[in-house]
Amino acid sequence: MNLSELTHPNQLHGLSIAQLEQVARQIREKHLETIATYGGHLGPGLGVVELTLGLYQTLDLDRDKVLWDVGHQAYPHKLITGRYNTFHTLRQKDGVAGYLKRCESRFDHFGAGHASTSISAGLGMALARDQRGEDFKVAAIIGDGALTGGMALEAINHAGHLPDTNLMVVLNDNEMSISPNVGAISRYLNKMRLSPPMQFLSDNLEEQMKHLPFVGDSWNPEFQRFKESMKRLAVSKVGAVFEELGFTYVGPVDGHNLEELIATFKEAHLIPGPVLVHVVTVKGKGYAIAERDQVGYHAQSPFDLTTGKAKPSKTPKPPAYSKVFGNTLTKLAENNPKIVGITAAMATGTGLDILQNALPKQYIDVGIAEQHAVTLSAGMACEGMRPVVAIYSTFLQRGYDQVVHDVCIQNLPVFFCLDRAGIVGADGPTHQGMYDIAYLRCIPNLTLMAPKDEAELQRMVVTGIQHEAGPIAMRCPRGNGYGAPLMEEGWEPLPIGKGEILRSGDDVLLVAYGSMVYPAMQTAEVLNEHGIQATVINARFVKPLDTDLILPLAQRIGQVVTLEEGCLMGGFGSAVVEALVDHDILVPVLRLGVPDELVDHATADQSKVALELTPAQMAHTILQKFSPKPVAIGVSA
């Protein structure tokens, strides 16, 4: 069968192992070809091709439910559920999403871009099924990395106490340190456990022993300990943990052996209650370069399939914000042993890999556990350390209560660095860093700042390290800086709550925050071409807001525009409006930012066009709002 002919996963039913292996090869070819051309997640999907085909052989996807944790490992799922012909549009505007989306396909049973959610959602579906008296299977696939998330463990704890609720959890374990010998023994013992004699022994041994002469009920305590010892001999060490938590453990099984996968899944479906199937896979399977460098090829920009090297950019780019942050923090940490960088499984993405390589004793990775990362930092701050918590804006949402309860209420000097703040592009709604301004500025004791460029970022890192009066947070956009001159050392901290005037004019006041400062300057240039002179303020801080600078100018100029790369509801513009109202300065205000809608996957530039946040578009909006005679100007990106 050709992969292009697959429009429904049930078409896999009845295919021979040879035919399934042919489909697997085609999935990898299509996957590699697409990512090499357009970019996207590479290693996760390559590692679960056989797992997907084997599991779907044992399910009826017209009835049964499958939940993929995170979703970037579900590219094979997309290719066999009717999206082959549009797969070349992956992560592009109006194309196939990089994660699962319920609105994209009826086979995407649960959308997810954050890790550790699948077991909770799957258990919810299973409980709803049982309450309605229905009968379908629920399978949640979760990676060993996502299993470090507290939410996954909470779900396991709950499911393990529901022995009458059928739920299959598939642990996709792509950790390469598992020994083949140990794996072979475990698989052999697993076959014993699943065989009818072993099931009979497990289910009936105690009852049979009761009927032996001189035994009866009197041997129950000793026998119970004997039975538990026998049980532990029949499962691997990791399996014993899940067994203790109430799951029937199956595995580990070779995640690239279709015959073994299908047989294991069929047997596991027959076991009542919660079942965990431990599947060992190789991240990047089938592409040797990705197998050797599993971190580097987790996701890739367009690259050459033969060499594995990224396609060179046509023009040199300034350094990425994350690299500037990592280098600056490392330089400071070299002279300050109290500085400790903390991340939640995002060392490379946040730039903390630089600190890790240079000063490993001053670096901590807690795994996918943002809540723990935040409270861990609070504990370190109590003991006089200078914890720097580097987490994506979208992921810090998962540690929100800890930010409030453990850091801000106690007014502890923790420095939060929020990477990927603002519009992030192809990852779509689950990863857009839209909400951090709104969800952080309402918390007492917390100082909030954002740099206009990479040089100001260096100064803000120093500001954050030296700020001892309480917690402080800095948001940074995804991608590269503007080419601002960088310093190797000698950075000066910024005065807390003080902005700066970058341009003066008497017609309109533009107050910009962070990544919107440069676009504000460009907008002012467009306005100047139409006879409108603008004052531009780089606010630097949203909390405390520089009211000494902003309010007199707003009152004198009489027309105010705020610019931010974040949600308008409760965001930076709201802070400016609140300050104006609180001081009885009633002037017209135009807030430019992201309205109350989800920003779908596209390039960042495409999203800004759609949101009317390019300089030309913003200038047009300002003229329409404030010009006595509406002026039509070009608004193309």
Side-chain angles (χ1 to χ4, degrees), residues 518-636:
Y518 275 67
M521 292 291 287
Q522 295 165 345
T523 301
E525 287 293 334
V526 178
L527 292 173
N528 181 57
E529 294 171 4
H530 293 82
I532 305 295
Q533 301 301 315
T535 290
V536 178
I537 290 178
N538 168 22
R540 285 178 172 161
F541 294 84
V542 64
K543 188 180 180 184
L545 192 67
D546 191 351
T547 53
D548 290 341
L549 176 65
I550 296 170
L551 298 185
L553 287 169
Q555 191 163 37
R556 179 175 66 81
I557 295 173
Q559 299 182 134
V560 179
V561 180
T562 64
L563 302 91
E564 62 191 300
E565 194 174 327
C567 66
L568 286 172
M569 296 184 69
F572 172 73
S574 294
V576 173
V577 170
E578 290 164 11
L580 291 170
V581 171
D582 288 346
H583 290 81
D584 298 321
I585 301 174
L586 304 181
V587 297
V589 179
L590 172 64
R591 295 180 300 136
L592 298 176
V594 180
D596 187 25
E597 64 185 53
L598 296 173
V599 179
D600 216 340
H601 58 279
T603 67
D605 287 343
Q606 288 171 332
S607 293
K608 288 173 184 176
V609 170
L611 296 166
E612 300 185 355
L613 292 179
T614 67
Q617 289 171 310
M618 291 189 292
H620 176 76
T621 303
I622 292 167
L623 289 170
Q624 294 295 109
K625 171 77 173 179
F626 293 125
S627 177
K629 294 181 180 180
V631 180
I633 62 174
V635 294
S636 59

Side-chain angles (χ1 to χ4, degrees), residues 61-62 103-104 107 205 261 283 307 329 338 452 470-471 573 577 586 596 602:
L61 266 296
D62 281 327
C103 62
E104 183 175 285
F107 299 115
L205 182 57
L261 283 165
K283 193 173 182 180
T307 65
L329 182 65
K338 292 184 177 181
K452 71 177 185 293
V577 170
L586 304 181
D596 187 25

Side-chain angles (χ1 to χ4, degrees), residues 210-280:
K210 287 180 182 179
H211 296 292
L212 291 176
F214 310 109
V215 177
D217 293 335
S218 62
W219 198 36
N220 272 347
E222 290 297 328
F223 174 74
Q224 189 63 33
R225 284 190 286 271
F226 169 73
K227 193 175 87 168
E228 291 303 312
S229 298
M230 290 290 291
K231 188 176 184 181
R232 281 165 179 75
L233 287 174
V235 298
S236 64
K237 289 182 179 180
V238 67
V241 174
F242 289 108
E243 294 269 355
E244 288 289 341
L245 290 172
F247 276 72
T248 300
Y249 172 84
V250 180
V253 59
D254 183 352
H256 302 293
N257 185 321
L258 277 164
E259 189 171 5
E260 189 173 352
L261 283 165
I262 293 168
T264 300
F265 286 133
K266 284 182 177 178
E267 294 280 6
H269 286 313
L270 300 176
I271 302 172
V275 178
L276 185 135
V277 181
H278 182 182
V279 180
V280 180

